Amino acid sequence: MKRPIIISGPCSAETEEQTIITCTKLAETQKVDILRAGIWKPRTNPESFEGVGELGLMWLTTAKRITGLPIAIEVANAEHTHKALEYGVDYIWIGARTTVNPFYVKEIANVLKGTKVKVLIKNPINPDISLWSGAIERIAHARGIENIWLVHRGFSAYGYSEYRNTPLWYLIFDIRRQFPDMKILCDPSHICGNRENLLNISQIAADLNYDGLMIESHICPTAAWSDANQQITPNELKILLDALKWRDVNNDNSIFSYSLSKFRSEIDQIDSDMFELLSRRMKLAEEIGRIKLQSNVSIFQGQRWINVVERILSRANRLNLSATFIRDVLDAVHAESINRQNEIMNKKK
Ligand code: PEP
Ligand code: MN
């Protein structure tokens, strides 16, 4: 399969006309490999549009016949999965609200036993990687690992966020480490929740070596019955895909390889030095724990912590490090240091 794999289509199939025109226009761009549409929509609000159901499967089958492109729908239970198989759907995806629920994943897996349909598993809505890997393993048991792809659609967060679903890119490295042979796609539409950021998020996914993108597209995005803020027209999708740079995953050029390994060995040395220093710092924290215990002094002294942070923050410019990064590192170091003192003072290590 080519890289990038592009999946596109409306958030929801709404009418026959909207589904078929969107899909044929997407096919005309010659950039889209798989057509998508939601036909059963898991909505937060019961008043929202909940999808057209089986009718949508008929429209998508027509779109497949006209364009020659494979089709994908979301399934959330055994009944949906039976219907998808009955209509010869080529790809099914398990949505974020279903990945969280082992009961539903299990019943979908049971229907999939021995079938050929390809399965895409979106990350769960909450940042719990083991829930995601559990769902992947359940489906892999039923279907074999080869035809499972992963879809990163971001994680919901409490309070204000610039994203609809925060990407938390570093969590995705964990799942890729666990399933190194599985393709992973990014769904910038549900990460952004708007049109403006789609290119930016798609470019990050390309630079992190994702295998493709799932992007929602609609002939008239502002009139869409679901996710109107984030959909783009087929023509806008073409412009976005033309602007994206998919760089090589690797390069055999000897000058490049030599420079890369030289920089990497320096980085490895710095990592070793950094952790030797951190180990020494933790030994000192334990010594402090011992004397605080002897003198009956509490672990945390607010003013000292403010001083530690301010001392390093005042060097942020000279070090060319952002204040957020300095805070994150110091918070992690401080948390470990408190753990060590707690071990000494309360568990008598
Ligand atoms: C969708 O792709 O339309 C969808 C509902 O996605 P998610 O499960 O990521 O919210
Ligand atoms: Mn959607």
Side-chain angles (χ1 to χ4, degrees):
M1 193 100 190
K2 78 180 227 299
R3 177 175 178 270
I5 300 161
I6 304 296
I7 305 181
S8 188
C11 175
S12 307
E14 299 162 4
T15 65
E16 182 167 21
E17 196 190 9
Q18 167 257 3
T19 307
I20 292 176
I21 300 182
T22 308
C23 290
T24 42
K25 290 206 175 304
L26 285 170
E28 281 165 18
T29 65
Q30 303 208 350
K31 298 270 174 190
V32 174
D33 305 289
I34 301 165
L35 298 169
R36 65 148 277 160
I39 61 171
W40 297 286
K41 299 301 297 176
R43 306 308 301 279
T44 308
N45 184 337
E47 307 299 314
S48 306
F49 172 60
E50 292 193 311
V52 294
E54 197 170 341
L55 254 184
L57 273 170
M58 297 184 201
W59 305 338
L60 272 177
T61 313
T62 311
K64 174 176 171 173
R65 189 164 34 76
I66 297 173
T67 61
L69 290 174
I71 52 175
I73 62 158
E74 173 175 354
V75 298
N77 59 32
E79 192 195 326
H80 297 165
T81 316
H82 278 300
K83 282 284 170 218
L85 294 174
E86 192 184 306
Y87 279 81
V89 164
D90 306 277
Y91 295 79
I92 57 171
W93 81 85
I94 299 183
R97 291 162 191 78
T98 308
T99 307
V100 290
N101 189 327
F103 288 117
Y104 284 113
V105 173
K106 205 167 158 187
E107 69 172 54
I108 294 169
N110 285 339
V111 180
L112 290 176
K113 270 196 193 115
T115 65
K116 294 244 179 319
V117 64
K118 299 193 176 50
V119 187
L120 280 64
I121 308 178
K122 288 197 168 196
N123 66 261
I125 35 185
N126 52 327
D128 182 341
I129 291 301
S130 52
L131 210 45
W132 197 5
S133 58
I136 298 166
E137 276 157 23
R138 277 203 166 85
I139 301 293
H141 262 240
R143 277 292 286 101
I145 211 108
E146 319 75 58
N147 289 314
I148 299 179
W149 297 352
L150 307 180
V151 182
H152 171 206
R153 49 78 79 197
F155 301 90
S156 64
Y158 176 73
Y160 173 79
S161 164
E162 64 180 295
Y163 303 104
R164 177 174 174 192
N165 292 291
T166 319
L168 303 180
W169 299 102
Y170 58 93
L171 281 188
I172 309 300
F173 292 125
D174 269 1
I175 201 91
R176 291 170 81 179
R177 211 176 304 118
Q178 281 183 56
F179 301 98
D181 300 326
M182 271 182 200
K183 290 197 188 310
I184 179 154
L185 278 67
C186 179
D187 170 350
S189 304
H190 291 91
I191 290 179
C192 298
N194 62 39
R195 287 176 266 282
E196 295 68 37
N197 261 338
L198 287 175
L199 177 60
N200 182 19
I201 292 294
S202 303
Q203 186 60 55
I204 295 176
D207 285 328
L208 294 177
N209 267 338
Y210 280 54
D211 298 285
L213 302 170
M214 182 193 265
I215 300 185
E216 289 183 339
S217 174
H218 191 288
I219 32 164
C220 183
T222 50
W225 298 357
S226 61
D227 290 352
N229 294 336
Q230 69 196 30
Q231 303 203 58
I232 53 176
T233 63
N235 194 41
E236 286 163 342
L237 178 80
K238 183 174 183 312
I239 295 170
L240 182 148
L241 294 174
D242 283 338
L244 271 181
K245 292 181 200 66
W246 291 85
R247 299 177 172 97
D248 295 336
V249 175
N250 223 325
N251 188 323
D252 293 337
N253 172 296
S254 59
I255 298 175
F256 167 76
S257 309
Y258 172 78
S259 311
L260 186 67
S261 58
K262 183 169 151 295
F263 288 131
R264 283 184 172 164
S265 66
E266 271 186 58
I267 281 185
D268 288 348
Q269 186 58 52
I270 289 176
D271 284 349
S272 306
D273 294 349
M274 203 163 66
F275 279 92
E276 288 294 333
L277 285 172
L278 284 171
S279 167
R280 273 173 54 199
R281 194 190 190 285
M282 292 309 154
K283 283 199 188 89
L284 291 171
E286 286 182 1
E287 290 305 329
I288 289 180
R290 281 187 195 99
I291 61 170
K292 281 182 182 166
L293 177 64
Q294 276 163 11
S295 308
N296 200 28
V297 172
S298 65
I299 294 181
F300 184 67
Q301 271 96 43
Q303 193 52 48
R304 165 66 184 157
W305 176 231
I306 292 171
N307 294 345
V308 168
V309 174
E310 281 181 355
R311 200 173 74 91
I312 305 296
L313 277 181
S314 70
R315 302 174 188 190
N317 275 344
R318 186 177 62 73
L319 294 169
N320 195 19
L321 297 173
S322 77
T324 331
F325 176 67
I326 290 178
R327 280 301 309 227
D328 286 348
V329 173
L330 281 177
D331 281 346
V333 169
H334 189 227
E336 178 63 7
S337 178
I338 286 181
N339 283 345
R340 296 295 185 102
Q341 293 184 50
N342 189 31
E343 288 279 332
I344 303 275
M345 296 173 74
N346 296 319
K347 295 178 189 148
K348 307 252 168 33
K349 191 172 156 186

